[in-house]
Each structure stands twice: as C-alpha cells, then as structure tokens.
Amino acid sequence: MAKTPDFAKNFQDMMANFPIDTSSFQEAFKSQGVLGEKLARVALAAAERSTEISAQWAKDTIARVGELAVVKHEPSDYAKSLTDFASASAEVAAEHMAAFAEVAKKVQMDTVDLMLTAGKDVAADARTVAETVVRDNQVAVKKAAAAASTVAAK
C-alpha cells in the first residue's frame, strides 16, 4: 500500500526556509523617529518665533496706549492722539502680520524639504529591501523545490 506523504512537514520546512529580516522594520522605525524629531524642531522654532513676534506686538501696543493716557490741554489733541494711535497700530499690525507670514513660509519650506528628503530615503530603502527579498526568496524557492523533489522521489 502507498504511504501518504506528510505535507504538513513539507510546508513547515518550506516556511522555515523563507527568511524574515526584521532589520528593515527597525530601520523604518528609526527613520520615522528621526523625521518626527526634525519636524518637531521645525514646529518648536516656529512657535518660539511666533511668541517673540506676539510679545513684541503687545509691547508696542502697550507703549502706544500709554501715550493715549497722557493728559492733553485741548480736546482736539485727544482726537489727534487717537488718530495717531490708530494709524500706528495699523502700521505695526501690518509689520507683525508680515513677520508671521515669514514664519509660516519658513515652516512650509522646511517641511517640504524634510518630506522630500524622507521620500528619497524611503524610496532607496524600499528598493534595497525589495532586491534583498527577491534574492532571498529565489534561494528559498530553490531550497523548497529541492526538498519537494527529494520528498517526491521517496
């Protein structure tokens, strides 16, 4: 009577011959960590600069409000003082908004640069991993085919 081959054993042997390399996962995790750190630096630098701009704007406004509080001799001087305050405030607002726009522009350029660099790195890593997997799988398939032909010969 014919003996039934043990396919479970053959399948286990075949799967044992397929290599699994976790170093690519570890490298991807490290790369993501480095990218996150760089993005955090960009965000923190922008927050710091924005805070400086806001603080300077507040100081300028407070100084101008102090000029409004000075006692005037003529009623028309109050109107002139208020007009001067409004005009100066509008000018300062435009300057500070331009400074905020510069911060936003720098963040955008830095972020795009980081993403482009990360994309190139990921593409290079993916190409390397794919080449390694193909090479390793070809070896594993040859071993599995040899093992299967040995079992079939028995």
Side-chain angles (χ1 to χ4, degrees), residues 22-97:
T22 60
S23 65
S24 60
F25 294 110
Q26 291 170 343
E27 288 300 317
F29 186 75
K30 288 177 186 175
S31 297
Q32 287 295 337
V34 169
L35 177 62
E37 181 181 344
K38 289 177 181 178
L39 287 172
R41 280 193 211 138
V42 168
L44 291 173
E48 182 179 356
R49 181 66 184 125
S50 294
T51 302
E52 291 170 1
I53 294 168
S54 295
Q56 187 59 47
W57 194 349
K59 287 179 183 179
D60 292 345
T61 302
I62 290 169
R64 286 192 175 78
V65 169
E67 295 170 8
L68 279 178
V70 175
V71 175
K72 314 290 190 274
H73 297 293
E74 295 292 322
S76 62
D77 290 341
Y78 286 104
K80 182 178 180 330
S81 177
L82 192 56
T83 303
D84 291 344
F85 174 78
S87 175
S89 292
E91 185 178 316
V92 168
E95 290 172 10
H96 287 94
M97 292 307 289

